[in-house]
Amino acid sequence: MSATVESAKPPQKGFFGHPAALGPLFFTEFWERVSYYGMRAILLFFMYSKLSDGGLGLDPTLAKSLMSIYGASVFMSGVLGGWLADRILGSRRAVLYGGVLIMCGHIALSFPSGVGALYVSMLLITVGTGLLKPNISNMVGGLYDEKDRRRDAGFSIFYMSTNLGAVVAPLLVGTLGQKISYHLGFSVAAIGMFLALVIYIFGRKRLAAVGDAPSNPLSPEERGRVFGRIAIGAVIVAAAFVIIAVAGLFTVTLVINVISALGLILPALYFYTMIRSKQVSPVERSRVIAYIPLFIASLFFWMIEEQGSVVLADYADHRTDLHVAGLPLLASWFQTLNPGFIVVFAPLFALLWTKLGSRQPSTPVKFSLGLGLAGLSYLLMILPAALYGPDAKVSPFWLVGSFFIVILGELCLSPVGLSATTRLAPKAFGAQMLSLWFLSDAAAQGISAQIVPFATPQTEIPYFGIVGGVTVVLAVGLLFLAPSISRKMQGVD
């Protein structure tokens, strides 16, 4: 190996037996997640709280749909972020620019400026997260060789940073937001993103050449053609917007429906493009095909997991007795359960996969386990309504149990899915494949935006039963398909 290539490789030790650059990426992700999950912990309550209580006074049903479609938009924007990184910016600059936009989005909510500020904030955070989220994960993958057995453990450690930030966020931002002022809570979220940027800027040297340049840069001939298409697309979108607005058809419901549809259309187009691309080898094409059932499994998993900040958050606010041993609770604090359990159990799962080595379950089997546990977490929530009726305030431990079960599934599926995505990605679609992974979350929340209005105290049993039951059935089906999927992964598993 030449000296130039060797110097471009990041140091392979220095952070708990992992590459040194995992450290700054870990702490950048931590503070970015404090920022994002802090905002998410109070956003639903901010939207439907009365104006006199410092909220926006939106209809609760609309607020729940907006929460889901906002989440879908955030993850959907990863398509743009992945493409810009692969073709123009490189992952390193994409993360930096994304962080700046996210910080500005939180600042927009820091002032009492009404619904307009909410939509501006949503737009900035959506685009910023699309630039940051897939590309910081892509750089984690770039720290390891393809055959490095530390990869799954490394992603589990990185994933723990996400959840450490998410544990701190509701306790800090949620308490300030619900006890003092929602706008003060959003201000703290902005400070969290600022700290993430500081750590990232000062820690980038350890990355060596990882993420420094686009993996598949536009050639001079392509630039004019691509930018021309972008300009034409922008004109068409703007014209459609004007026509719909003039016709009086532009509504929040229309936006929700369009984004929900895009959440399903975009991944389908992505798979089609990669499978048909001449830049994808036959082996890479087989791996992409193997990734399709994993993608579908992750979609149904995230549909349940992401409803923790929508359906279960509303459940905490209206259906839960907010006292334990006489001590008062805040509804936003329940958002610490999922990440809190992950912080405790992620090191154990990382140790388990490392100890098992070649004897660990295959990636499809891990996905099946994760999906089945997600379904069971919703089936559990049938019991409170069945036992006590739809009007009674129930013990907070029902929510604790549901969050506990789903995080066991999350640890089987999410860090393993990130690792598998980087290994199965065609070379020409590295960062974009990470965008596709996050599109499963976008598609999931797009579907959620359509179904969460049906989650009411009166429909709890059918809602939790149907969503949870269908998910368990799919998990069993995936388990039977696991050997076939592993063969198509062409030795990557």
Side-chain angles (χ1 to χ4, degrees):
M1 184 176 287
S2 69
T4 302
V5 174
E6 191 66 45
S7 65
K9 187 177 181 181
Q12 289 298 295
K13 298 290 183 181
F15 191 74
F16 300 103
H18 288 264
L22 185 60
L25 294 180
F26 178 99
F27 288 108
T28 298
E29 177 77 356
F30 168 79
W31 282 109
E32 188 275 332
R33 294 291 89 180
V34 169
S35 167
Y36 180 74
Y37 283 110
M39 173 272 297
R40 291 267 297 183
I42 59 175
L43 187 59
L44 178 68
F45 309 134
F46 171 64
M47 285 194 287
Y48 70 52
S49 292
K50 298 176 182 178
L51 291 172
S52 58
D53 294 330
L56 295 176
L58 299 180
D59 177 73
T61 299
L62 175 61
K64 287 193 287 186
S65 290
L66 278 174
M67 277 290 290
S68 292
I69 215 64
Y70 178 34
S73 302
V74 165
F75 284 99
M76 205 179 302
S77 67
V79 174
L80 174 63
W83 184 87
L84 285 171
D86 275 347
R87 306 307 306 270
I88 299 174
L89 298 174
S91 292
R92 192 176 302 193
R93 280 190 291 170
V95 168
L96 178 63
Y97 299 158
V100 172
L101 289 174
I102 292 169
M103 183 176 67
C104 292
H106 291 312
I107 291 172
L109 282 177
S110 299
F111 301 96
S113 304
V115 176
L118 172 69
Y119 293 140
V120 169
S121 172
M122 285 182 167
L123 177 62
L124 291 172
I125 296 173
T126 293
V127 177
T129 305
L131 285 167
L132 186 147
K133 192 63 181 166
N135 290 302
I136 195 169
S137 297
N138 190 48
M139 284 194 289
V140 172
L143 301 178
Y144 300 91
D145 293 329
E146 185 177 306
K147 299 292 185 180
D148 195 329
R149 281 285 179 183
R150 298 176 299 169
R151 287 177 69 94
D152 280 7
F155 271 102
S156 290
I157 292 171
F158 177 72
Y159 196 62
M160 189 167 64
S161 71
T162 297
N163 292 285
L164 281 170
V167 167
V168 173
L171 298 176
L172 177 62
V173 178
T175 301
L176 292 174
Q178 290 196 283
K179 284 288 189 181
I180 302 177
S181 163
Y182 288 115
H183 301 293
L184 178 59
F186 295 130
S187 298
V188 173
I191 293 170
M193 191 63 243
F194 173 75
L195 291 173
L197 287 169
V198 170
I199 291 170
Y200 180 69
I201 290 169
F202 282 98
R204 285 186 299 170
K205 289 184 179 179
R206 298 183 191 177
L207 289 166
V210 173
D212 197 34
S215 61
N216 183 28
L218 291 173
S219 66
E221 296 78 16
E222 289 178 307
R223 284 181 177 270
R225 185 170 64 253
V226 168
F227 290 141
R229 289 175 180 174
I230 292 173
I232 292 171
V235 170
I236 292 173
V237 170
F241 176 82
V242 171
I243 292 171
I244 292 171
V246 170
L249 300 175
F250 189 80
T251 64
V252 174
T253 301
L254 176 64
V255 173
I256 290 172
N257 291 338
V258 169
I259 294 176
S260 293
L262 284 175
L264 296 174
I265 293 170
L266 285 175
L269 291 175
Y270 246 99
F271 278 116
Y272 178 81
T273 300
M274 285 192 288
I275 290 171
R276 296 294 301 271
S277 174
K278 294 179 180 179
Q279 295 177 301
V280 176
S281 70
V283 169
E284 290 177 328
R285 187 169 294 109
S286 177
R287 291 172 176 173
V288 171
I289 292 171
Y291 189 72
I292 294 174
L294 302 182
F295 178 91
I296 294 172
S298 66
L299 185 158
F300 278 87
F301 174 85
W302 292 120
M303 185 175 69
I304 288 178
E305 198 278 346
E306 291 288 2
Q307 287 185 21
S309 61
V310 184
V311 173
L312 297 189
D314 185 57
Y315 192 99
D317 199 25
H318 294 109
R319 289 276 284 125
T320 303
D321 179 9
L322 294 176
H323 294 84
V324 171
L327 299 176
L329 303 173
L330 291 177
S332 59
W333 290 354
F334 284 88
Q335 297 306 307
T336 67
L337 290 173
N338 185 305
F341 284 134
I342 288 177
V343 168
V344 173
F345 290 103
L348 300 180
F349 273 74
L351 179 62
L352 175 64
W353 303 143
T354 302
K355 288 289 185 182
L356 288 175
S358 60
R359 294 179 292 113
Q360 63 186 281
S362 67
T363 295
V365 171
K366 291 177 183 176
F367 266 65
S368 177
L369 291 171
L371 187 60
L373 288 165
L376 290 175
S377 76
Y378 256 32
L379 293 180
L380 175 69
M381 295 306 294
I382 294 174
L383 296 178
L387 292 172
Y388 308 112
D391 300 319
K393 296 278 187 177
V394 302
S395 168
F397 289 106
W398 290 106
L399 281 177
V400 172
S402 182
F403 277 113
F404 176 71
I405 294 171
V406 83
I407 68 96
L408 294 180
E410 189 167 345
L411 287 167
C412 289
L413 184 144
S414 188
V416 174
L418 274 172
S419 177
T421 301
T422 61
R423 287 182 291 162
L424 294 171
K427 186 177 180 181
F429 291 87
Q432 292 179 76
M433 191 74 163
L434 260 299
S435 299
L436 184 58
W437 167 251
F438 292 114
L439 271 181
S440 68
D441 202 315
Q445 296 197 66
I447 294 172
S448 285
Q450 302 299 317
I451 66 174
V452 292
F454 298 104
T456 67
Q458 290 70 36
T459 60
E460 276 177 20
I461 292 177
Y463 184 85
F464 289 125
I466 292 171
V467 175
V470 168
T471 303
V472 169
V473 170
L474 289 173
V476 173
L478 180 62
L479 186 61
F480 280 106
L481 290 174
S484 174
I485 296 169
S486 294
R487 286 193 295 273
K488 287 189 175 297
M489 291 170 72
Q490 298 281 351
V492 163
D493 196 53

